[in-house]
Amino acid sequence: MLKNKINKDVIILNSDLIFQEKTLIKFLDKKHKNLFLTNKKKDITNDDILFVHKKNKIVKKIYIKSKSDSRSLILPAAGIVKMSAISFRNYMKIISNKDLIKEKYYEAGYVELIKKNIFRVCVASQKIEEIDTARDYKKFIKTKYSKYL
């Protein structure tokens, strides 16, 4: 099984993202081994995974596609996660015990993972775009997307 073969730190990167190279480099250079990359609070949509965090950036709660207390320190997931080898093994154990057809979102495993491992949030300096639909693509094309090239 995959979880038994990987014994180094891992990056999980969704394949429908558009971002600047420097955003990823800055993220990877952060000293913390367990880190969720996020967009800014102003970028929250009704379709986001949301991380509630403390002032020290440690994640204390995760909302999966649901509303949250907007007064909290909260940031939208950007689809990029850095994990230590131990955290990744824990994550693989968690999701291997889930019915992902019922659950729908692999990120639901993060809810349990943050109880076992300390994760922090890191805010991207430039918005990370997610292209899920033709509508998302058309909206993106209308922006000044040359900054992503």
Side-chain angles (χ1 to χ4, degrees):
M1 244 214 36
L2 178 65
K3 66 182 175 186
N4 299 325
K5 302 267 186 224
I6 295 178
N7 53 16
K8 295 195 178 199
D9 298 349
V10 171
I11 303 295
I12 296 175
L13 178 73
N14 291 0
S15 61
D16 58 354
L17 303 176
I18 298 174
F19 53 89
Q20 292 180 322
E21 181 181 355
K22 68 182 178 182
T23 299
L24 186 60
I25 291 168
K26 284 180 184 178
F27 176 69
L28 295 175
D29 285 345
K30 297 284 182 189
K31 68 178 180 176
H32 304 294
K33 288 189 173 254
N34 296 322
L35 209 53
F36 294 113
L37 188 59
T38 71
N39 279 316
K40 295 175 182 163
K41 186 172 184 171
K42 70 179 180 70
D43 296 320
I44 292 175
T45 69
N46 60 359
D47 191 40
D48 280 323
I49 307 297
L50 301 172
F51 300 118
V52 178
H53 63 89
K54 300 175 187 175
K55 286 185 180 183
N56 62 2
K57 304 289 186 188
I58 293 177
V59 178
K60 62 180 184 175
K61 189 167 186 174
I62 298 174
Y63 290 97
I64 308 293
K65 312 269 182 172
S66 63
K67 292 184 179 180
S68 66
D69 178 359
S70 61
R71 294 172 291 160
S72 300
L73 292 172
I74 194 161
L75 293 165
I80 302 174
V81 182
K82 181 166 71 166
M83 289 186 199
S84 68
I86 293 167
S87 294
F88 182 70
R89 283 194 297 278
N90 287 338
Y91 180 66
M92 293 305 292
K93 285 178 194 170
I94 290 166
I95 63 170
S96 65
N97 292 325
K98 288 197 171 295
D99 180 351
L100 292 177
I101 293 174
K102 263 187 193 175
E103 200 71 58
K104 291 187 183 176
Y105 303 104
Y106 73 89
E107 293 98 339
Y110 296 160
V111 174
E112 290 177 49
L113 185 63
I114 64 168
K115 294 175 186 172
K116 295 178 182 230
N117 304 96
I118 294 173
F119 274 79
R120 287 182 163 78
V121 289
C122 172
V123 182
S125 56
Q126 293 287 328
K127 186 170 193 265
I128 295 172
E129 299 287 346
E130 183 177 19
I131 309 295
D132 285 328
T133 63
R135 184 175 175 222
D136 291 344
Y137 177 73
K138 287 175 186 172
K139 183 179 168 186
F140 177 72
I141 292 300
K142 289 179 183 177
T143 68
K144 294 182 180 177
Y145 65 88
S146 61
K147 66 182 177 184
Y148 293 95
L149 303 176

